[in-house]
Amino acid sequence: MTARPKFGDLVSVAGYGARLFQVDGYRTEHWHYPDEEWIDVVYELTDVQTGDWLEADADDLSVVAPAADAAEFLAAQKPAGLIILREDTPMLNFGYKPDPRKPSAKELAARKAAEKRRKIDALLDEYNDILTLVALFGGLEYTEKLAEIKRKLADASRKE
Protein backbone atom coordinates (compact mmCIF):
# COMPACT_ATOMS: atom_id res chain seq x y z
CA MET A 1 0.00 0.00 0.00
CA THR A 2 1.49 3.35 -1.02
CA ALA A 3 -0.79 5.92 0.64
CA ARG A 4 -3.56 5.25 3.15
CA PRO A 5 -6.85 5.60 1.20
CA LYS A 6 -9.36 8.19 2.37
CA PHE A 7 -13.15 8.40 2.02
CA GLY A 8 -14.18 8.71 -1.63
CA ASP A 9 -10.77 7.80 -3.07
CA LEU A 10 -10.69 5.53 -6.10
CA VAL A 11 -8.60 2.45 -5.46
CA SER A 12 -7.55 -0.75 -7.16
CA VAL A 13 -7.56 -3.98 -5.18
CA ALA A 14 -4.95 -6.71 -5.50
CA GLY A 15 -6.51 -9.72 -7.23
CA TYR A 16 -9.33 -7.73 -8.89
CA GLY A 17 -7.53 -6.73 -12.07
CA ALA A 18 -8.45 -3.36 -13.57
CA ARG A 19 -11.67 -2.98 -11.55
CA LEU A 20 -11.94 0.31 -9.71
CA PHE A 21 -13.53 0.74 -6.31
CA GLN A 22 -14.47 3.78 -4.27
CA VAL A 23 -13.77 3.90 -0.54
CA ASP A 24 -17.01 4.09 1.45
CA GLY A 25 -15.46 3.62 4.86
CA TYR A 26 -13.08 1.59 6.95
CA ARG A 27 -12.90 -0.04 10.33
CA THR A 28 -10.12 -1.13 12.59
CA GLU A 29 -10.16 -4.53 14.20
CA HIS A 30 -7.98 -4.98 17.25
CA TRP A 31 -7.25 -8.65 17.87
CA HIS A 32 -6.23 -9.87 21.34
CA TYR A 33 -4.87 -13.31 22.16
CA PRO A 34 -2.81 -14.57 25.15
CA ASP A 35 0.48 -14.50 23.25
CA GLU A 36 -0.16 -11.88 20.58
CA GLU A 37 -2.27 -8.99 19.42
CA TRP A 38 -2.55 -6.99 16.21
CA ILE A 39 -4.68 -4.43 14.42
CA ASP A 40 -6.26 -4.90 11.00
CA VAL A 41 -7.68 -2.04 8.94
CA VAL A 42 -10.51 -3.27 6.71
CA TYR A 43 -11.83 -1.01 3.95
CA GLU A 44 -15.42 -1.08 2.70
CA LEU A 45 -15.53 -0.42 -1.02
CA THR A 46 -18.04 -0.06 -3.85
CA ASP A 47 -17.20 -1.19 -7.39
CA VAL A 48 -17.59 1.85 -9.67
CA GLN A 49 -18.80 -0.31 -12.55
CA THR A 50 -21.35 -2.63 -10.94
CA GLY A 51 -22.01 -1.14 -7.53
CA ASP A 52 -20.88 -4.40 -5.89
CA TRP A 53 -19.68 -4.11 -2.30
CA LEU A 54 -16.31 -5.42 -1.18
CA GLU A 55 -14.22 -5.53 1.97
CA ALA A 56 -10.45 -5.40 1.51
CA ASP A 57 -7.37 -5.33 3.69
CA ALA A 58 -5.48 -2.04 3.66
CA ASP A 59 -2.36 -3.77 2.29
CA ASP A 60 -4.27 -4.86 -0.82
CA LEU A 61 -5.25 -1.32 -1.88
CA SER A 62 -3.57 1.18 -4.19
CA VAL A 63 -4.94 4.70 -4.57
CA VAL A 64 -5.74 5.43 -8.23
CA ALA A 65 -7.28 8.89 -7.75
CA PRO A 66 -8.00 10.97 -4.65
CA ALA A 67 -11.63 11.75 -3.79
CA ALA A 68 -11.30 15.34 -5.00
CA ASP A 69 -10.37 14.11 -8.49
CA ALA A 70 -12.61 11.02 -8.60
CA ALA A 71 -15.41 12.51 -10.73
CA GLU A 72 -12.97 13.99 -13.23
CA PHE A 73 -10.96 10.75 -13.38
CA LEU A 74 -14.08 8.64 -13.98
CA ALA A 75 -15.44 11.06 -16.58
CA ALA A 76 -12.13 10.83 -18.47
CA GLN A 77 -12.37 7.01 -18.45
CA LYS A 78 -15.69 6.90 -20.29
CA PRO A 79 -17.75 10.11 -20.25
CA ALA A 80 -20.98 8.56 -21.57
CA GLY A 81 -21.09 5.99 -18.79
CA LEU A 82 -21.15 8.37 -15.83
CA ILE A 83 -23.85 7.41 -13.36
CA ILE A 84 -24.56 8.30 -9.74
CA LEU A 85 -24.97 5.39 -7.34
CA ARG A 86 -25.05 7.64 -4.31
CA GLU A 87 -25.67 11.36 -4.16
CA ASP A 88 -22.01 12.18 -3.48
CA THR A 89 -20.46 9.30 -5.41
CA PRO A 90 -19.99 9.53 -9.18
CA MET A 91 -19.62 6.08 -10.67
CA LEU A 92 -19.10 4.65 -14.12
CA ASN A 93 -21.14 2.01 -15.83
CA PHE A 94 -18.76 0.46 -18.36
CA GLY A 95 -21.53 -1.10 -20.42
CA TYR A 96 -22.92 -3.19 -17.55
CA LYS A 97 -26.65 -3.58 -18.02
CA PRO A 98 -28.60 -6.10 -16.02
CA ASP A 99 -30.82 -8.22 -18.22
CA PRO A 100 -34.41 -7.23 -17.69
CA ARG A 101 -36.43 -10.28 -16.75
CA LYS A 102 -39.11 -11.10 -19.27
CA PRO A 103 -42.51 -11.91 -17.77
CA SER A 104 -43.67 -15.51 -18.09
CA ALA A 105 -46.78 -16.47 -20.04
CA LYS A 106 -48.57 -16.99 -16.73
CA GLU A 107 -47.62 -13.49 -15.56
CA LEU A 108 -48.72 -11.96 -18.86
CA ALA A 109 -52.07 -13.76 -18.64
CA ALA A 110 -52.53 -12.56 -15.06
CA ARG A 111 -51.77 -8.98 -16.09
CA LYS A 112 -54.24 -9.21 -18.96
CA ALA A 113 -56.94 -10.64 -16.68
CA ALA A 114 -56.31 -7.92 -14.08
CA GLU A 115 -56.59 -5.21 -16.73
CA LYS A 116 -59.84 -6.76 -17.98
CA ARG A 117 -61.24 -6.77 -14.42
CA ARG A 118 -60.23 -3.12 -13.93
CA LYS A 119 -61.95 -2.13 -17.18
CA ILE A 120 -65.15 -4.01 -16.27
CA ASP A 121 -65.12 -2.54 -12.75
CA ALA A 122 -64.76 0.98 -14.14
CA LEU A 123 -67.66 0.40 -16.55
CA LEU A 124 -69.84 -1.00 -13.76
CA ASP A 125 -69.01 2.01 -11.58
CA GLU A 126 -69.98 4.35 -14.41
CA TYR A 127 -73.20 2.38 -15.04
CA ASN A 128 -74.14 2.57 -11.34
CA ASP A 129 -73.40 6.31 -11.27
CA ILE A 130 -75.75 6.88 -14.17
CA LEU A 131 -78.45 4.72 -12.56
CA THR A 132 -78.12 6.92 -9.47
CA LEU A 133 -78.57 10.04 -11.62
CA VAL A 134 -81.69 8.52 -13.21
CA ALA A 135 -83.08 7.70 -9.75
CA LEU A 136 -82.36 11.21 -8.47
CA PHE A 137 -83.33 13.31 -11.47
CA GLY A 138 -85.19 10.99 -13.83
CA GLY A 139 -84.85 11.65 -17.52
CA LEU A 140 -84.47 9.73 -20.69
CA GLU A 141 -81.26 11.49 -21.68
CA TYR A 142 -79.30 8.87 -19.72
CA THR A 143 -80.73 5.87 -21.56
CA GLU A 144 -78.33 6.24 -24.49
CA LYS A 145 -75.38 6.37 -22.12
CA LEU A 146 -76.64 3.27 -20.27
CA ALA A 147 -76.99 1.40 -23.57
CA GLU A 148 -73.47 2.43 -24.60
CA ILE A 149 -72.03 1.18 -21.31
CA LYS A 150 -73.92 -2.12 -21.67
CA ARG A 151 -72.34 -2.58 -25.12
CA LYS A 152 -68.88 -1.86 -23.71
CA LEU A 153 -69.50 -4.30 -20.85
CA ALA A 154 -70.58 -7.00 -23.30
CA ASP A 155 -67.43 -6.42 -25.37
CA ALA A 156 -65.15 -6.41 -22.31
CA SER A 157 -66.76 -9.57 -20.86
CA ARG A 158 -66.25 -11.70 -23.99
CA LYS A 159 -63.71 -14.50 -23.72
CA GLU A 160 -60.78 -14.24 -26.06
Side-chain angles (χ1 to χ4, degrees), residues 70-129:
E72 186 178 323
F73 180 86
L74 290 173
Q77 297 298 309
K78 186 167 182 153
L82 191 62
I83 61 171
I84 301 296
L85 287 181
R86 287 193 336 235
E87 210 173 282
D88 62 338
T89 308
M91 300 284 183
L92 276 181
N93 178 353
F94 294 98
Y96 172 78
K97 293 179 186 164
D99 292 333
R101 188 179 73 77
K102 293 187 170 79
S104 68
K106 187 176 182 179
E107 289 171 323
L108 289 173
R111 286 182 194 172
K112 192 173 182 178
E115 181 58 34
K116 183 177 180 177
R117 281 191 304 276
R118 279 192 291 276
K119 185 175 181 179
I120 290 172
D121 286 346
L123 287 168
L124 288 171
D125 287 342
E126 187 177 0
Y127 189 83
N128 288 332
D129 290 346

Side-chain angles (χ1 to χ4, degrees), residues 17-80:
R19 291 174 67 181
L20 291 177
F21 295 84
Q22 190 159 38
V23 176
D24 293 325
Y26 67 91
R27 68 178 182 274
T28 56
E29 297 176 346
H30 200 140
W31 299 83
H32 301 272
Y33 288 90
D35 296 332
E36 60 185 332
E37 71 177 69
W38 67 92
I39 297 174
D40 284 334
V41 178
V42 180
Y43 281 83
E44 296 177 1
L45 312 168
T46 301
D47 185 309
V48 298
Q49 179 180 355
T50 64
D52 290 341
W53 182 75
L54 177 71
E55 287 187 348
D57 186 80
D59 295 332
D60 293 333
L61 302 181
S62 297
V63 175
V64 174
D69 301 330
E72 186 178 323
F73 180 86
L74 290 173
Q77 297 298 309
K78 186 167 182 153

